[in-house]
Amino acid sequence: MPAMTAVEAGARAGAGVPAEAVGPLVRGVGVLRRLAEAGGTLSPSALERATGLARSTVDRITATLARMGYVRLDGRDVVLTPGVLELGNAYLAALRLPALLGARADALADELDESVSLAVADRDGIRFIHQATRRRALSVSFRIGDLLPAERTAPGALFATEWTERDWARWRTRRAEDPRDTAFPAVPQRPEPAPAHDTARTTGTTDTAAAVEAAFADRVGAARRDGWAVDDQLIEPGLVAVSAPVRDPRTGRVACVASVVSHTSRHPAAELPAALLPRLRTAVAAMEADLRTAPPPEPGPAPAGLATWTTASKQELGRDFVESLARGLTVLTAFGEGRPALSLTDVARATGLPRATARRALLTHEYLGLVAAAPHEDRAFALTPRVLDLGFPPLSRTTLPRLAEPHLRALADRVAEPAALAVLTADGTEIQYTAGAGTGGVLTVRIPVGARLPAAATSLGRVLLADTSAPAAPELAEARARGYALVDEELESGLRSVAVPVRDRTGRAVAAVNVATHAARRSLEDCVEHLLPALRATADDIQRDLHRASRFTKVPTT
């Protein structure tokens, strides 16, 4: 488990915390961070150990986060859910860079057949805001939201060309306090420092620290001179990258850094400038042109009714619902597209919270590093990249089957019938099962994940075929008109199933979910009256999670 940040250590000890900081909010943010660092899942006991909080406090915080849809309580574990992506999505939407530049990064990745990333500065580190990765056996595993130390990356050298002496001092302090980079779980830790009593090894360690600073300073100087930077296996052996800055047309400062990432078997570091840099620079020039010509954003809808919802939740759940935590987290969702900088009045209006409550939440978030004074805006706040710490990385590489699995289990438990998710194969003649949830009955449908069946003979296939170009078959036209498909003993005697589509953010049916039963257990009318409403509610839940997860990341359907 990574070491606590200085902020969290101070919060735990009660030292240095602003008098107006909201204690439950500080503790709740700490729980989300620990969950994210652990890959998205921890038991309450493990959270108790990781945070230093009392078990009763952990239970109240997780119950509140579950009510907000940010975690689910799965047996003995607390699991992050796609709902928590709303926090990171608010930051990325306010930033606009992924939406404006992501397509250029994707196109460059396709052209070069290499991974391409976009990163922003996060104090003395860099944080990824977009990833276009290659799906091959040996590939880059960084995720959106991952934080890396500046000195171990090519983007870090470019950002450091703009550091002030205060920035360098903060970097030196962090290096001295955390020489192994334990606060950066996305990168391998450095070797253990030499014991203090070992004079020879201690001297070597001191020299190594000095060598790290000298080498980084040299790379920063080269980046300032050349306008680009190379990572020659700074993170781990074999991994190389070349990076170039994308500059803000208004200020001329580095807005983000674009990187092409590879490994030494494909491109030795010495070859990167000749092999990849010219095309990277062309893409960066196009990105900067996009920033110059981008129209002002249209503000999206602000969250509504949040204060009313938290009050109602408190009345329903009593002491198990920590209202100050819920209200504090909702403040982060007040930001978004067209709302990158908000005043206290703006936040209070968007959330429906009293000004005093909104003010204390903003002060707490500022203390935790999640908001900061907005540049070029008087008395306004803006989200910082650290909002991505709150669960984004472990969920940014999810798939549709993973999103669907807990919902399918809940549906199967609710109707006491097996449920499944499937997609059409490329030629549209078959469906492939990608996720499922069974029941404990003796006579039940058991079709393994990966199995294929004729699309036209299944409810799953028909509802997907009905979403394609104007269907000619009467049963497909009927499925399109009704929004569901019901198949009665066509695939196998006694087998009845009903299916509905799962749609992406564009409204296209990318998968379907069904419930199957035996004809002796349920009539056709019963399937429509009782199974279909539960099925549609489950599809809505899956779609909601898919829409959250796919706003700034690609979610594979298999």
Side-chain angles (χ1 to χ4, degrees), residues 124-125 148-154 156 163 171-172 174-194 201 204-217 219 231-237:
D124 59 350
L148 278 63
E151 69 276 10
R152 294 177 68 177
T153 69
W163 281 5
W171 175 78
R172 293 187 188 99
R174 188 262 297 166
R175 288 274 307 129
E177 294 176 348
D178 184 20
R180 299 192 63 203
D181 295 336
T182 59
F184 299 89
V187 299
Q189 292 183 12
R190 293 182 183 272
E192 189 76 41
R201 289 184 62 193
T205 301
T206 303
D207 291 342
T208 299
V212 168
E213 179 168 350
F216 185 45
R219 290 196 298 111
D231 168 0
D232 184 3
Q233 306 177 81
L234 295 169
I235 295 172
E236 65 179 25

Side-chain angles (χ1 to χ4, degrees), residues 98-286:
L100 293 175
L101 309 181
R104 297 282 187 189
D106 294 345
L108 181 61
D110 291 340
E111 179 182 344
L112 299 177
D113 194 27
E114 300 286 358
S115 295
V116 174
S117 66
L118 301 177
V120 294
D122 189 347
R123 297 193 180 185
D124 59 350
I126 68 121
R127 198 178 291 269
F128 294 112
I129 59 168
H130 184 83
Q131 288 281 356
T133 57
R134 302 294 85 189
R135 299 188 73 175
R136 55 170 66 105
L138 191 60
S139 62
V140 179
S141 61
F142 290 127
R143 306 159 301 181
I144 295 176
D146 275 340
L147 177 68
L148 278 63
E151 69 276 10
R152 294 177 68 177
T153 69
L158 291 163
F159 286 121
T161 62
E162 297 179 343
W163 281 5
T164 64
E165 187 51 46
R166 181 180 179 184
D167 295 324
W168 280 101
R170 180 170 54 200
W171 175 78
R172 293 187 188 99
T173 299
R174 188 262 297 166
R175 288 274 307 129
E177 294 176 348
D178 184 20
R180 299 192 63 203
D181 295 336
T182 59
F184 299 89
V187 299
Q189 292 183 12
R190 293 182 183 272
E192 189 76 41
H197 65 271
D198 189 332
T199 305
R201 289 184 62 193
T202 302
T203 302
T205 301
T206 303
D207 291 342
T208 299
V212 168
E213 179 168 350
F216 185 45
D218 286 345
R219 290 196 298 111
V220 172
R224 184 179 293 110
R225 179 191 68 240
D226 300 332
W228 50 272
V230 167
D231 168 0
D232 184 3
Q233 306 177 81
L234 295 169
I235 295 172
E236 65 179 25
L239 185 65
V240 294
V242 60
S243 301
V246 180
R247 297 193 177 274
D248 187 327
R250 298 169 302 169
T251 65
R253 294 178 62 83
V254 180
C256 67
V257 170
S259 303
V260 182
V261 186
S262 187
H263 55 83
T264 52
S265 299
R266 291 175 60 84
H267 293 286
E271 296 179 4
L272 293 179
L276 302 178
L277 182 60
R279 187 62 194 90
L280 173 61
R281 279 179 154 169
T282 299
V284 164

Side-chain angles (χ1 to χ4, degrees), residues 21 45 53 233 243 247 351 360 421 484 507:
S45 297
L53 299 173
Q233 306 177 81
S243 301
R247 297 193 177 274
T351 59
R360 290 192 65 198
L421 181 82
Y484 70 91

Side-chain angles (χ1 to χ4, degrees), residues 290-537:
D290 290 342
L291 292 182
R292 285 194 298 272
T293 59
E298 291 291 335
L306 295 174
T308 302
W309 177 85
T310 57
T311 299
S313 296
K314 181 64 175 179
Q315 291 173 347
E316 179 180 344
L317 299 181
R319 70 180 306 275
D320 288 335
F321 185 78
V322 186
E323 189 173 17
S324 57
L325 167 58
R327 289 188 163 191
L329 289 175
T330 62
V331 162
L332 299 177
T333 65
F335 298 83
E337 186 173 3
R339 303 190 307 278
L342 297 177
S343 67
L344 170 59
T345 300
D346 295 331
V347 171
R349 184 184 302 117
T351 59
L353 296 173
R355 280 175 55 90
T357 302
R359 177 176 178 274
R360 290 192 65 198
L362 285 168
L363 289 174
T364 306
H365 288 314
E366 187 174 36
Y367 164 68
L368 293 171
L370 301 175
V371 305
H376 318 298
E377 297 279 349
D378 186 33
R379 306 182 111 182
F381 296 88
L383 299 180
T384 75
R386 294 203 166 192
V387 173
L388 296 174
D389 270 343
L390 308 184
F392 210 93
L395 293 170
S396 68
R397 286 284 182 88
T398 193
T399 64
L400 181 55
R402 289 179 187 170
L403 293 177
E405 282 169 357
H407 299 296
L408 294 176
R409 290 199 304 268
L411 174 62
D413 290 344
R414 177 179 173 185
V415 300
E417 302 285 4
L421 181 82
V423 297
L424 274 179
T425 57
D427 62 7
T429 62
E430 294 181 309
I431 58 165
Q432 180 179 357
Y433 284 79
T434 58
T439 60
V442 176
L443 181 62
T444 186
V445 178
R446 290 187 176 91
I447 301 176
V449 170
R452 295 189 177 196
L453 293 175
T458 63
S459 61
L460 290 161
R462 286 184 186 176
V463 83
L464 289 170
L465 290 171
D467 197 65
T468 59
S469 58
E475 61 270 18
L476 299 185
E478 182 180 21
R480 170 176 274 187
R482 291 181 173 179
Y484 70 91
L486 179 62
V487 171
D488 182 24
E489 302 188 77
E490 294 185 36
L491 183 68
E492 183 177 322
S493 296
L495 179 62
R496 243 167 221 164
S497 67
V498 58
V500 297
V502 174
R503 301 185 182 278
D504 64 12
R505 292 177 64 87
T506 69
R508 181 172 64 95
V510 293
V513 61
N514 85 333
V515 171
T517 186
H518 190 273
R521 282 206 299 269
R522 294 182 185 269
S523 66
L524 292 175
E525 292 76 13
D526 190 31
C527 289
V528 174
E529 292 179 10
H530 296 100
L531 295 183
L532 183 59
L535 188 60
R536 281 178 162 157

Side-chain angles (χ1 to χ4, degrees), residues 33-58:
R33 282 176 165 157
R34 296 288 87 83
L35 280 168
E37 290 164 356
T41 302
L42 280 176
S43 68
S45 297
L47 273 172
E48 185 181 358
R49 292 191 298 270
T51 60
L53 299 173
R55 176 59 181 269
S56 60
T57 301
V58 169

